[in-house]
Amino acid sequence: QVQLVESGGGLVQAGGSLRLSCVASGSIFSTNIMGWYRQAPGKQRELVAVITSGGSTNYADSVKGRFSISRDNAKNTVYLQMNSLKPEDTAVYYCNVDQRISVYWGQGAQVTVSS
């Protein structure tokens, strides 16, 4: 089992920045994909950004150039630096760890961007 604990959400004005962190504990494989997804009210959960254990990244088009994902393998932690935030970025952000045979989700962190 893997446990994920997110932190760093909150309320910010449009144009501001936030940094999300997610610490994974438990049975962490050396090879996995860590990432962030988000779900806005009334919408489906969508990918924001993912990063492999080797450092390869992938971003949703809507956040490219504004968000940056990184990870510290020694700490089993993944980060999401969010800059130039827009009201449409308002959502619950979920940390995700994909270890192929199993996928784990965090409890979610609310990010609210006011206009």
Side-chain angles (χ1 to χ4, degrees):
Q1 284 290 333
V2 172
Q3 295 77 42
L4 303 175
V5 178
E6 298 137 337
S7 60
L11 173 64
V12 65
Q13 288 188 332
S17 298
L18 283 174
R19 188 191 196 207
L20 300 179
S21 300
C22 173
V23 180
S25 61
S27 301
I28 307 297
F29 294 174
S30 58
T31 301
N32 58 37
I33 300 174
M34 302 183 80
W36 294 93
Y37 291 71
R38 68 186 181 187
Q39 187 167 19
K43 294 187 177 182
Q44 290 187 330
R45 191 172 297 188
E46 62 177 5
L47 179 147
V48 176
V50 293
I51 183 168
T52 69
S53 48
S56 297
T57 60
N58 187 39
Y59 294 91
D61 288 342
S62 59
V63 306
K64 282 181 180 177
R66 300 188 297 122
F67 291 11
S68 178
I69 190 170
S70 61
R71 62 188 286 170
D72 185 332
N73 290 332
K75 297 180 179 179
N76 290 325
T77 301
V78 61
Y79 306 96
L80 185 68
Q81 178 66 44
M82 303 183 291
N83 300 325
S84 302
L85 282 160
K86 304 175 181 179
E88 51 263 44
D89 295 318
T90 295
V92 177
Y93 284 69
Y94 296 92
C95 178
N96 170 278
V97 172
D98 183 348
Q99 304 197 134
R100 291 203 175 189
I101 61 172
S102 53
V103 178
Y104 300 93
W105 294 92
Q107 80 283 0
Q110 177 68 48
V111 171
T112 302
V113 184
S114 63
S115 57

